[in-house]
């Protein structure tokens, strides 16, 4: 297999003539490159006017290889022929190198060029390309290839250091300027000519192309794709500033893949940051990354993803009930996204909006994340190519493991993994309940191994200790619901309008310091809604003044059961309320008003019953931990461990610590 290398454009902020003076000092031998043993000139020719100088050298190279391999090959040194063509008028130097040793077994080709910067004639550009084709090498082809690539990568790193070293040597000698080449006219007078590159030789180095793309505010420029042409080239300084520190071979993979896209894709190509993500996802295997990227580009074109942020408008339900949003940045400068998954009514969203709307919501988050990474790269002055996601699982329970919802989640993960690789820098999962391993077992097979290594999972309050959240996020921007100093408000409501014909019951828990009118007879055990349907909250009561909500609404569908516990906080009266509904009953209103819910309790015409069971247990008799109590019960889970807990249809709190467990089941 042929190994190829293509360097970025390396810019020296010195004139061409000074660079040439530094370059010739590396011959006949260079102490900075131990493997470069010696060189000798085998031929040299010059044009009549002295403009063009062609020099051929025979270079001796000592490759660091196992002695056994050298003995098998029968050589101690390798010999290369180097041809330098210097044009003083055009201010260019072209270098061609090929191997003399083992030329019938191994083919090595290298091309280098020094040219004037197209936008500043006082600067010099350097480019380098090479290829290696080992046809046979005594049965050690793979070993020889690895050794050659390692040695070559090492010499590339030292290339710029060598020129800069000799520039400093010249400066110590007082040489800081060398006049440009001149020619004499017939009269014998000397004429200075400032030679500039012809227009055809000027090449677009990303001083004003790719770099400016990062500063573009126009929506057409900030989209994921940018216009490119085969003449666009990457600057080494640009790569270091906006893409990060890459090895020479990694730089080569990026440039070659980018060139391939410019040659085969008309019009627009992905931004360099995005191309680099696909290379990283495939460990810089060029062929695999190319196939991976092409599949994603086809998907983006088919679904018009490049225009998603400008064309898609989020449904009102998502704006009201999707409990997630962007929030500042982590300590590394990555954009931070917070998702309170445990508090979100995922079942209601899937039923009300469908899978496609949720998929577009997730895609829009990823597209926004790409933009924020570019913005943070400019703000912090360092490459930022990924973001941090904080997922709060407080409240996650078996209700979230709903088959259609899990199916939608798996599809979304599969699409994101296929089209947004290496965009997640870190995933912080907080307050993971006991049900989390079940969810992880379902989704982990779809997540790339490199991505799984970025997951940090904290159970209970472990995130508050050493090695927790404060190691990754500044305390002043940690949300208040995670015991931080920043007030964050995300939608935590339940969707009451579900797009189905199922029968369900809505449960709420309220607190009041006023005693509601008690029913004539308290019912325990099995009761029919039609028979027992008391109205405990006066219609004149105002929510937020006379009574308050202490638990978000919880829905129980036909055939399901819900169980849990509530930790009381204040003295007074706690009311457990349920409303027996079907989707047809609330079809006239998209969101029934809370006052209407509290004002009336519907009597079901269906042949169903609510079976409920309650038990009051003194705190001193409960031997389990409060953490396990809260995590193992679904639905209502809240509060602090030193307060009494109770749940009942109507239950006044008295100054004693009690725990009440409950279970409801909707059945025929």
């Amino acid at each position: 297999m042929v190994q190829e290398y293509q360097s970025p454009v390396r810019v020296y902020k010195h004139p061409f003539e000074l660079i040439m003076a530094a370059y010739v000092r590396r011959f006949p031998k260079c102490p900075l490159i131990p493997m470069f043993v010696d060189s000798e000139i085998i031929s040299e020719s010059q044009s009549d006017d002295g403009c063009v100088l062609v020099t051929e050298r025979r270079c001796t190279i000592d490759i660091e290889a196992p002695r056994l391999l050298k003995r098998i090959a029968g050589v101690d040194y390798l010999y290369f022929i180097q041809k330098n063509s210097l044009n003083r008028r055009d201010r260019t130097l072209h270098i061609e190198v090929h191997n003399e040793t083992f030329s019938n077994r191994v083919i090595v080709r290298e091309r280098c060029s020094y040219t004037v910067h197209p936008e500043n004639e006082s600067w010099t550009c350097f480019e380098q390309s090479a290829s290696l084709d080992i046809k046979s090498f005594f049965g050690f082809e793979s070993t020889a290839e690895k050794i050659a690539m390692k040695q070559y990568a090492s010499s590339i790193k030292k290339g710029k250091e060598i020129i800069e070293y000799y520039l400093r040597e010249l400066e110590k000698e007082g040489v800081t300027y060398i006049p440009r080449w001149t020619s004499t006219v017939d009269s014998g007078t000397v004429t200075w000519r400032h030679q500039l590159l012809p227009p055809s030789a000027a090449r677009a180095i990303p001083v004003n192309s790719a770099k400016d793309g990062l500063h573009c505010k126009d929506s057409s420029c900030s989209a994921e794709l940018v216009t490119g042409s085969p003449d666009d080239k990457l600057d080494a300084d640009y790569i270091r500033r906006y893409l990060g520190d890459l090895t020479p071979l990694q730089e080569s993979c990026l440039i070659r893949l980018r060139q391939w896209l410019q040659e085969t894709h008309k019009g627009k190509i992905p931004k360099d940051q995005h191309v680099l993500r696909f290379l990283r996802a495939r460990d810089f295997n060029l062929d695999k990354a190319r196939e991976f990227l092409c599949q994603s580009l086809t998907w983006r074109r088919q679904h018009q993803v490049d225009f998603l942020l400008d064309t898609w408008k989020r449904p009102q339900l998502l704006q009201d009930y999707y409990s997630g949003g962007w929030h500042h940045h982590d300590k590394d400068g990555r954009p931070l996204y917070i998702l309170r998954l445990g508090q979100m009514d995922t079942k209601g969203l899937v039923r009300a909006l469908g899978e496609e709307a949720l998929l577009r919501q997730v895609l829009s988050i990823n597209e926004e994340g790409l933009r924020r990474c570019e913005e943070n790269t400019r703000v912090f002055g360092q490459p930022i190519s990924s973001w941090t996601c904080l997922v709060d699982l407080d409240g996650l329970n078996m209700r979230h493991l709903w088959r259609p919802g899990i199916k939608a989640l798996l599809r979304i993960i599969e699409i994101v993994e296929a089209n947004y690789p290496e965009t997640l820098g870190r995933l912080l999962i907080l307050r993971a309940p006991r049900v989390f391993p079940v969810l992880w077992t379902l989704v982990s097979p779809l997540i790339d191994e490199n991505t799984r290594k970025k997951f940090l999972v904290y159970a209970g309050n472990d995130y508050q200790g050493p090695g927790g959240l404060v190691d990754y996020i500044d305390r002043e921007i940690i949300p208040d619901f995670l015991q931080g100093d920043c007030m964050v408000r995300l939608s935590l409501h339940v969707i009451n309008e579900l797009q189905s014909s199922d029968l369900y019951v809505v449960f709420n828990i309220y607190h009041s310091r006023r005693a509601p009118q008690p029913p004539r007879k308290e019912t325990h055990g099995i009761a029919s809604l039609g028979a027992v349907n008391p109205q405990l909250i006066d219609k004149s009561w105002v929510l937020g003044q006379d009574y308050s909500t202490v638990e978000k609404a919880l829905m129980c569908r036909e055939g399901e059961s819900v169980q849990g516990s509530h930790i009381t906080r204040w003295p007074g009266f706690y009311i457990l309320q349920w409303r027996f509904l079907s989707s047809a009953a609330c079809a006239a209103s998209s969101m029934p008003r809370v006052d209407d819910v509290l004002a009336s309790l519907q009597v079901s015409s269906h042949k169903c019953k609510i079976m409920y069971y309650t038990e009051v247990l003194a705190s001193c008799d409960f031997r389990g931990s409060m953490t396990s109590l809260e995590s193992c019960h679904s639905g209502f889970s809240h509060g602090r461990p030193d307060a009494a807990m109770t749940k009942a249809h109507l239950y006044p709190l008295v100054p004693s610590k009690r725990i009440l467990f409950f279970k409801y089941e909707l059945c025929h």
Side-chain angles (χ1 to χ4, degrees):
M1 181 179 178
V2 179
Q3 296 289 339
E4 296 182 351
Y5 170 77
Q6 175 64 57
S7 76
V9 178
R10 185 178 299 147
V11 178
Y12 297 96
K13 296 181 180 180
H14 299 278
F16 176 81
E17 290 73 21
L18 198 60
I19 295 296
M20 290 299 99
Y23 173 76
V24 296
R25 289 205 170 195
R26 62 182 295 178
F27 299 104
K29 62 176 63 178
C30 180
L32 298 179
I33 309 180
M35 62 181 293
F36 191 82
V37 178
D38 199 4
S39 66
E40 60 176 337
I41 297 176
I42 57 179
S43 69
E44 190 172 48
S45 62
Q46 185 169 272
S47 64
D48 294 338
D49 60 358
C51 172
V52 178
L53 176 64
V54 178
T55 305
E56 283 196 30
R57 292 183 176 88
R58 190 169 188 258
C59 303
T60 305
I61 306 298
D62 183 11
I63 298 293
E64 295 182 5
R67 185 166 183 80
L68 177 62
L69 185 60
K70 287 186 175 182
R71 293 185 61 182
I72 294 174
V75 297
D76 289 326
Y77 300 105
L78 302 179
Y79 296 94
F80 291 82
I81 303 300
Q82 182 191 75
K83 180 181 178 180
N84 292 358
S85 300
L86 173 64
N87 190 317
R88 295 187 177 97
R89 177 186 293 110
D90 295 340
R91 305 175 74 197
T92 62
L93 173 64
H94 297 289
I95 306 169
E96 296 181 1
V97 180
H98 67 273
N99 62 308
E100 186 180 62
T101 308
F102 301 123
S103 57
N104 60 334
R105 294 176 178 271
V106 181
I107 299 176
V108 178
R109 295 287 186 269
E110 182 184 49
R111 292 178 177 83
C112 307
S113 64
Y114 288 89
T115 59
V116 177
H117 194 287
E119 298 176 2
N120 190 332
E121 62 181 23
S122 296
W123 291 357
T124 306
C125 298
F126 172 78
E127 292 183 73
Q128 183 177 10
S129 64
S131 64
L132 170 67
D133 185 7
I134 300 180
K135 298 183 180 298
S136 65
F137 199 77
F138 312 103
F140 293 93
E141 291 80 12
S142 177
T143 302
E145 181 180 286
K146 291 179 180 178
I147 292 175
M149 296 301 294
K150 180 180 179 181
Q151 295 287 313
Y152 191 69
S154 177
S155 66
I156 291 170
K157 288 183 177 180
K158 295 181 178 180
K160 188 173 182 179
E161 298 176 5
I162 294 171
I163 296 295
E164 292 176 343
Y165 170 78
Y166 286 116
L167 285 172
R168 290 192 295 269
E169 291 295 311
L170 288 170
E171 186 178 359
K172 290 178 182 179
E173 298 171 8
V175 180
T176 58
Y177 173 77
I178 296 178
R180 297 184 186 180
W181 174 82
T182 63
S183 65
T184 58
V185 295
D186 294 339
S187 63
T189 59
V190 177
T191 304
W192 292 91
R193 296 186 300 174
H194 295 263
Q195 299 291 336
L196 298 178
L197 286 178
S200 60
R203 296 186 175 179
I205 299 173
V207 173
N208 291 320
S209 58
K211 286 184 180 179
D212 288 349
L214 288 174
H215 293 274
C216 182
K217 299 296 184 180
D218 185 76
S219 60
S220 62
C221 295
S222 60
E224 178 57 24
L225 301 181
V226 295
T227 302
S229 67
D231 286 335
D232 289 343
K233 296 196 174 183
L234 293 181
D235 182 351
D237 293 333
Y238 160 79
I239 292 178
R240 189 178 305 107
R241 167 65 177 82
Y242 292 98
L243 304 180
D245 292 326
L246 304 179
T247 67
L249 297 182
Q250 289 174 346
E251 289 178 342
S252 175
C253 288
L254 172 62
I255 293 168
R256 290 164 58 199
L257 180 55
R258 190 175 182 271
Q259 289 177 343
W260 180 83
L261 289 170
Q262 291 170 339
E263 294 168 358
T264 58
H265 287 262
K266 296 181 180 179
K268 295 182 177 181
I269 63 170
K271 292 182 179 179
D272 301 323
Q273 296 90 336
H274 204 54
V275 174
L276 185 58
R277 291 184 181 103
F278 283 85
L279 284 167
R280 283 175 171 152
R282 292 297 179 263
D283 295 324
F284 287 88
N285 184 305
L286 188 60
D287 294 331
K288 292 182 179 179
R290 181 190 295 121
E291 180 182 1
F292 189 19
L293 179 57
C294 286
Q295 292 173 352
S296 179
L297 291 177
T298 301
W299 172 81
R300 295 182 71 91
R301 184 171 57 253
Q302 290 176 348
H303 298 278
Q304 298 292 301
V305 179
D306 301 318
F307 313 102
L308 180 64
L309 292 180
D310 298 324
T311 59
W312 185 63
K313 184 178 180 181
R314 289 200 308 163
Q316 189 61 42
L317 279 177
L318 278 178
Q319 298 182 35
D320 294 339
Y321 301 108
Y322 191 86
S323 55
W326 293 100
H327 179 71
H328 299 283
H329 55 81
D330 66 6
K331 288 187 175 181
D332 296 324
R334 296 189 186 101
L336 175 63
Y337 190 85
I338 297 179
L339 178 64
R340 300 195 69 181
L341 184 60
Q343 302 294 325
M344 189 162 57
D345 183 11
T346 53
K347 181 185 289 188
L349 288 173
V350 173
R351 287 182 178 273
L353 297 173
E355 186 177 316
E356 289 301 318
L358 289 180
L359 173 60
R360 286 193 169 269
Q361 167 73 0
V362 174
L363 296 182
S364 68
I365 293 172
N366 281 270
E367 291 294 308
E368 177 65 23
L370 297 178
R371 290 190 178 184
R372 288 177 177 265
C373 286
E374 292 182 7
E375 178 65 26
N376 284 21
T377 296
R378 293 193 295 270
V379 171
F380 294 100
Q382 63 184 21
I384 300 205
S385 61
S386 59
W387 56 82
T388 294
C389 185
L390 188 156
V391 181
D392 181 17
L393 295 184
D394 181 45
L396 186 76
N397 50 61
M398 293 302 294
R399 291 185 299 111
H400 292 84
L401 302 185
W402 176 55
R403 181 173 296 180
I406 293 297
K407 181 181 177 182
L409 175 62
L410 296 180
R411 180 181 174 227
I412 290 173
I413 292 176
E414 186 176 10
I415 291 175
V416 170
E417 282 287 304
N419 297 282
Y420 299 93
E422 297 298 317
T423 54
L424 182 65
R426 184 180 293 116
L427 179 62
L428 302 170
I429 301 177
L430 308 185
R431 300 196 280 194
R434 290 185 178 182
V435 74
F436 175 73
V438 179
L439 181 62
W440 178 248
T441 302
L442 295 173
V443 303
S444 60
L446 296 178
I447 302 175
D448 181 74
E449 182 179 357
N450 291 334
T451 304
R452 290 201 298 267
K453 294 177 181 178
K454 303 172 185 177
F455 284 39
L456 296 174
V457 182
Y458 300 89
N461 294 325
D462 293 345
Y463 68 92
Q464 299 179 19
L469 205 54
V470 292
D471 286 10
Y472 307 102
I473 303 174
D474 292 328
R475 182 172 296 278
E476 57 266 22
I477 64 172
I478 295 179
D480 55 332
F481 57 83
L482 296 175
Q483 285 68 53
D485 300 331
C486 186
M487 299 294 292
V488 177
R489 291 294 173 262
L490 298 173
S491 177
L492 303 177
H493 302 292
V494 175
I495 301 176
N496 289 329
E497 181 189 30
L498 301 179
Q499 305 299 316
S500 70
S501 59
D502 294 341
L503 183 68
Y504 61 96
V505 177
V506 178
F507 294 95
N508 287 281
I509 294 183
Y510 302 100
H511 169 263
S512 175
R513 294 184 180 275
R514 298 173 56 183
Q517 184 65 35
R520 294 182 180 179
K521 184 178 181 181
E522 187 104 348
T523 304
H524 295 280
I526 300 177
S528 170
L529 281 177
V532 180
N533 187 24
Q535 177 66 42
L536 299 178
I537 301 177
D538 192 279
K539 293 183 179 181
S540 62
W541 282 15
V542 178
L543 183 62
Q545 297 181 6
D546 301 293
Y547 65 103
S548 60
T549 303
V550 295
E551 287 286 357
K552 66 176 184 178
L554 178 66
M555 282 173 288
C556 180
R557 292 192 165 276
E558 187 173 0
E560 296 180 344
S561 63
V562 178
Q563 56 184 340
S565 60
H566 176 73
I567 306 174
T568 60
R569 293 183 174 185
W570 309 281
F573 297 86
Y574 287 81
I575 303 173
L576 171 64
Q577 180 204 63
W578 59 78
R579 188 182 183 191
F580 198 76
L581 299 171
S582 67
S583 59
C586 60
S589 174
S590 60
M591 284 295 298
R593 295 176 58 213
V594 175
D595 291 344
D596 294 337
V597 175
L598 300 179
S600 63
L601 293 172
Q602 294 184 351
V603 179
S604 173
S605 60
H606 297 270
K607 295 181 179 179
C608 299
K609 297 179 179 179
I610 291 183
M611 303 173 63
Y612 67 92
Y613 164 78
T614 62
E615 178 182 358
V616 178
L617 180 66
S619 299
C620 59
D621 296 329
F622 180 70
R623 300 180 183 276
S625 67
M626 295 302 299
T627 301
S628 63
L629 177 65
E630 294 180 5
S631 62
C632 69
H633 288 85
S634 61
F636 306 110
S637 178
H638 212 61
R640 58 194 183 193
D642 60 343
M645 296 187 299
T646 178
K647 269 195 175 71
H649 183 209
L650 175 62
Y651 195 90
L653 179 68
V654 295
S656 63
K657 296 182 179 180
R658 289 173 293 183
I659 300 174
L660 186 145
F661 300 95
F662 65 94
K663 180 176 181 180
Y664 306 99
E665 184 173 357
L666 184 62
C667 59
H668 286 284

